[in-house]
Amino acid sequence: MYKQYCGRLDTSHKDQFITLNGWVQKRRDLGGLIFIDLRDREGIVQVVIDPEHIETNDDLSKIRNEFCLEIKGHVRLRPQQQINHKITTGEIEINANTLKVISSADNLPLDFNQNNSEEQRLKYRYLDLRRTEMSQKLKARSRITSIIRNFLEEHDFLDIETPVLSKSTPEGARDYLVPSRVHPGDFYALPQSPQIYKQLLMVAGFDKYYQIVKCFRDEDLRADRQPEFTQVDIETSFLTSAEIRNIAESLVRRLWTQTLDIELPQFPVYTYDYVMETYGSDKPDLRNPLKIIDFKRSLSSCSLGIIQESLSDENYVKGLCIPNGSKLSRKEIDNYIAYAKTFKSKGLIWIKLNNIKDGLNGIQSSIKKFLTDEILNNIIKACDAEDGDILFISVDKKSNVLNILGELRNKIGNDLNLIRLDEWQPLWVVDFPMFETSEDGNLQAMHHPFTSPKETSVDKILENPLELLSNSYDMVINGYEVGGGSVRIHSQEIQAAIFKLLHLDEDEQQDKFGFLLEALSYGAPAHGGIAFGLDRLVMLLVGTNNIRDVIAFPKTTSASDLMMNAPSSVDINVLKDLSITVE
């Protein structure tokens, strides 16, 4: 006799005497025989109980769904006509000899047969995880993690842990802080990533490092973001950005092959400027065929005031051509205009191309009285439009137009079922700007301040910072950024120059990053790396669009744990020990 998982039993176990532990999925009492579907993490098996021929001290009539049982019995084949092809164990059943109720179950707060609200599922997460759908996702996550470890260790990467209690440094998002009892008034920070530690490991000579690690960022949440998330962190020395991308791409290809039996297509490499101008996003979903089109030249002779004003400044006149979009009703068009306004749109120009050969008589448009046949022909040529298409055109500052059209592209692609859902479309985005301008007019690093610029002259770096390109790269799959990295700065002089551009004076540099600057003075190797969001990778591989589905105990979008009721208040005496006063 030996213990076995319910879902792993098959005809090869015929006549074996086994022990099963699991939960009651379903109970049926049929004329003297009791049938129980017993479930564990691997699946379900049918158990047949004859009350007159079973050893038990428990009342069989009281057993119901989610009781936890131990059952011992023989595996036997089902009659041909009773085979259940819906489950993997459908050819066999267990003839129970003994039964023991390990634990009874009260009436459940979740209904396993119906949809429960996400709040209910998160509050009773330990019950939600019993559902086969959820257990399969966590099992898949375990397999994916194993594939990643095996791949990296095959390529000589070392798994090295880095501290969780660290120093607060400006890296983009807000830190989660941990007060120190031993050092009153001082705080540790939970790591947003192991960024500086892995660079120090490169200085230490560990030229291939990886870690599957928890990271923490106090930022606004959404369906694919959590305050604590898991990162596959990779760093290596003496490799170019192309060589690092090749390793990362090979890892992702293996994940898709071994998890989904799918060979991913070629990973094209596009520049940041190209994807922004073409798709309005630095993480474009290439399954969506819509592209942004420039209409500035086509509309140059249009007398509409907003267009004429745009010709003499830096404003953009760009839009989308929606195939078969003329079927949209006026209400639907107005809804898209309203949607665009949520992204600071001043309004959208629209043109319905009902019958192109009839010229202006064959169209409907919000600016028809400002168009001529010549202007219309130029517009049609610019986008290769056909009968039945509709155009949406935005006129505004560059950043606004691209953002508006990028968001509109995504929404229309989903609404009109333009996205090819049966495809996988990965890509690399490279050549990001090194800096962007913050709301207060200061420079801020587009990725993080340790990313190397492509320019290596300190004088040129300080002279034209907004023209600098970073030696960075993001991997995008089906509209999700699944990984990002860069070649790092290994020159103390260049790192100090970057800090200077970010308005960190020498005292601040020493206070926040003195240890890094000092480390870079002791023969630091050229190095770079990439970090994957494990949660997002798993989310894509298991076919869900909610990152909370692949995390055992996630937070809500308000960063709350409904099950543990966290965050919560703390005893005043604990706060006193930490020298903290709460108003």
Side-chain angles (χ1 to χ4, degrees):
M1 181 180 67
Y2 65 100
K3 290 189 177 183
Q4 182 59 273
Y5 283 113
C6 297
R8 290 185 181 174
L9 295 171
D10 57 31
T11 55
S12 68
H13 297 91
K14 177 187 173 184
D15 297 330
Q16 293 184 13
F17 189 62
I18 62 170
T19 299
L20 297 176
N21 297 111
W23 289 264
V24 177
Q25 177 83 3
K26 185 187 295 184
R27 178 186 187 277
R28 305 180 301 283
D29 198 333
L30 301 176
L33 292 179
I34 298 172
F35 292 83
I36 287 177
D37 288 346
L38 195 67
R39 184 195 71 244
D40 60 20
R41 75 176 204 192
E42 296 298 317
I44 296 171
V45 69
Q46 178 171 280
V47 178
V48 183
I49 299 171
D50 184 343
E52 296 183 2
H53 297 91
I54 191 167
E55 297 178 18
T56 182
N57 294 322
D58 296 294
D59 186 348
L60 298 178
S61 66
K62 293 184 178 180
I63 294 175
R64 60 175 179 265
N65 288 5
E66 299 309 312
F67 271 44
C68 186
L69 306 181
E70 177 182 85
I71 288 175
K72 298 179 181 180
H74 287 91
V75 180
R76 68 187 184 190
L77 301 182
R78 290 199 198 188
Q80 188 67 31
Q81 65 273 20
Q82 294 180 15
I83 290 176
N84 183 353
H85 296 286
K86 294 181 180 179
I87 57 176
T88 58
T89 61
E91 293 183 279
I92 56 96
E93 61 188 12
I94 310 303
N95 183 31
N97 291 79
T98 64
L99 179 147
K100 177 182 178 182
V101 174
I102 296 174
S103 180
S104 61
D106 293 336
N107 291 329
L108 299 179
L110 295 183
D111 186 341
F112 281 23
N113 297 315
Q114 296 182 17
N115 291 326
N116 301 282
S117 69
E118 188 170 40
E119 288 76 14
Q120 286 176 296
R121 291 176 54 206
L122 293 178
K123 182 174 177 60
Y124 300 101
R125 189 62 164 185
Y126 47 86
L127 295 178
D128 186 46
L129 292 176
R130 288 185 187 177
R131 294 190 301 122
T132 300
E133 175 189 353
M134 294 302 297
S135 64
Q136 291 297 326
K137 288 182 172 67
L138 290 192
K139 285 170 59 183
R141 182 182 178 119
S142 179
R143 290 195 301 272
I144 289 163
T145 302
S146 179
I147 292 168
I148 291 170
R149 289 190 184 281
N150 289 337
F151 175 91
L152 291 172
E153 286 165 12
E154 284 174 18
H155 288 76
D156 296 324
F157 284 84
L158 300 176
D159 182 0
I160 305 176
E161 294 181 356
T162 55
V164 173
L165 296 177
S166 185
K167 183 181 179 68
S168 180
T169 57
E171 291 187 38
R174 291 178 291 272
D175 286 326
Y176 280 101
L177 300 176
V178 180
S180 170
R181 179 186 60 81
V182 178
H183 303 280
D186 289 339
F187 294 81
Y188 298 103
L190 301 182
Q192 295 186 33
S193 78
Q195 180 62 50
I196 296 178
Y197 285 113
K198 64 186 178 185
Q199 289 190 245
L200 294 175
L201 285 170
M202 296 302 105
V203 176
F206 295 97
D207 64 306
K208 287 187 174 182
Y209 141 96
Y210 88 95
Q211 186 181 186
I212 297 178
V213 61
K214 280 288 187 185
C215 301
F216 306 85
R217 292 178 187 172
D218 184 6
E219 55 189 352
D220 295 334
L221 306 184
R222 58 193 185 204
D224 66 339
R225 182 183 284 171
Q226 283 278 293
E228 53 178 310
F229 57 95
T230 306
Q231 188 166 287
V232 181
D233 207 44
I234 300 170
E235 196 80 3
T236 184
S237 298
F238 311 119
L239 296 184
T240 65
S241 60
E243 289 169 328
I244 296 169
R245 292 200 309 269
N246 183 59
I247 291 172
E249 187 172 322
S250 298
L251 169 57
V252 170
R253 285 186 180 281
R254 180 177 293 190
L255 282 176
W256 258 252
T257 300
Q258 294 192 2
T259 305
L260 301 177
D261 195 23
I262 287 175
E263 291 287 339
L264 288 175
Q266 181 69 34
F267 285 43
V269 180
Y270 295 133
T271 66
Y272 171 84
D273 282 346
Y274 175 81
V275 295
M276 291 302 298
E277 295 282 346
T278 308
Y279 305 109
S281 172
D282 60 0
K283 48 181 184 295
D285 188 346
L286 300 187
R287 299 172 302 165
N288 185 340
L290 299 181
K291 294 184 178 182
I292 295 173
I293 301 152
D294 191 346
F295 290 107
K296 195 164 189 174
R297 180 175 296 178
S298 308
L299 284 163
S300 60
S301 59
C302 178
S303 60
L304 182 64
I306 191 172
I307 292 177
Q308 284 300 309
E309 291 170 9
S310 74
L311 301 177
S312 58
D313 56 29
E314 297 298 319
N315 281 2
Y316 270 28
V317 183
K318 289 180 179 281
L320 299 169
C321 178
I322 317 301
N324 301 312
S326 65
K327 64 185 179 184
L328 294 174
S329 67
R330 183 55 191 270
K331 181 179 180 180
E332 289 172 317
I333 292 172
D334 288 342
N335 286 340
Y336 283 126
I337 293 171
Y339 179 76
K341 285 183 178 178
T342 64
F343 300 99
K344 301 182 180 179
S345 169
K346 296 177 180 178
L348 290 175
I349 296 168
W350 59 270
I351 304 173
K352 272 189 179 184
L353 304 173
N354 299 320
N355 194 338
I356 291 174
K357 68 180 182 180
D358 288 342
L360 291 177
N361 293 327
I363 72 165
Q364 296 168 270
S365 175
S366 57
I367 62 165
K368 186 172 181 178
K369 65 180 180 180
F370 296 100
L371 299 177
T372 65
D373 284 330
E374 180 182 2
I375 293 173
L376 180 61
N377 286 334
N378 290 338
I379 290 172
I380 292 168
K381 288 179 182 177
C383 59
D384 294 323
E386 298 179 352
D387 286 344
D389 295 349
I390 189 171
L391 310 180
F392 286 114
I393 300 173
S394 177
V395 183
D396 205 337
K397 293 185 297 184
K398 172 182 176 179
S399 59
N400 284 356
V401 166
L402 295 180
N403 183 50
I404 290 161
L405 293 178
E407 296 291 346
L408 198 62
R409 173 181 179 268
N410 290 336
K411 181 168 178 57
I412 292 174
N414 282 303
D415 289 352
L416 302 187
N417 298 316
L418 301 177
I419 297 175
R420 302 180 293 270
L421 297 177
D422 60 341
E423 293 184 4
W424 292 102
Q425 290 291 344
L427 69 147
W428 286 104
V429 180
V430 300
D431 291 352
F432 286 82
M434 185 73 183
F435 298 105
E436 56 189 350
T437 306
S438 65
E439 291 182 0
D440 59 9
N442 290 323
L443 291 181
Q444 61 185 24
M446 193 155 189
H447 278 80
H448 54 65
F450 318 110
T451 298
S452 176
K454 289 196 163 183
E455 175 60 63
T456 57
S457 165
V458 172
D459 289 341
K460 291 182 179 179
I461 288 171
L462 295 173
E463 183 180 348
N464 296 303
L466 284 175
E467 295 180 12
L468 294 175
L469 295 178
S470 64
N471 198 351
S472 58
Y473 33 83
D474 282 358
M475 181 188 289
V476 178
I477 301 178
N478 289 6
Y480 290 97
E481 178 197 329
V482 297
S486 67
V487 170
R488 322 301 185 188
I489 298 170
H490 68 277
S491 159
Q492 184 191 57
E493 188 180 18
I494 292 177
Q495 185 65 78
I498 297 300
F499 286 153
K500 182 177 180 180
L501 288 170
L502 295 173
H503 299 281
L504 293 176
D505 60 32
E506 290 189 12
D507 287 341
E508 288 179 295
Q509 290 181 32
Q510 288 302 316
D511 177 55
K512 296 181 184 298
F513 302 107
F515 58 93
L516 175 64
L517 292 171
E518 185 174 16
L520 294 180
S521 71
Y522 298 129
H527 59 282
I530 190 168
F532 288 103
L534 178 63
D535 310 301
R536 286 187 189 173
L537 285 172
V538 177
M539 182 182 75
L540 287 173
L541 286 163
V542 303
T544 182
N545 60 6
N546 190 335
I547 206 167
R548 291 186 287 278
D549 286 346
V550 298
I551 299 173
F553 298 102
K555 305 292 191 294
T556 66
T557 52
S558 61
S560 298
D561 182 337
L562 299 181
M563 182 183 67
M564 301 286 286
N565 194 27
S568 60
S569 58
V570 176
D571 185 275
I572 189 67
N573 293 316
V574 175
L575 295 178
K576 284 181 178 178
D577 277 348
L578 296 170
S579 302
I580 293 177
T581 302
V582 178
E583 296 181 357

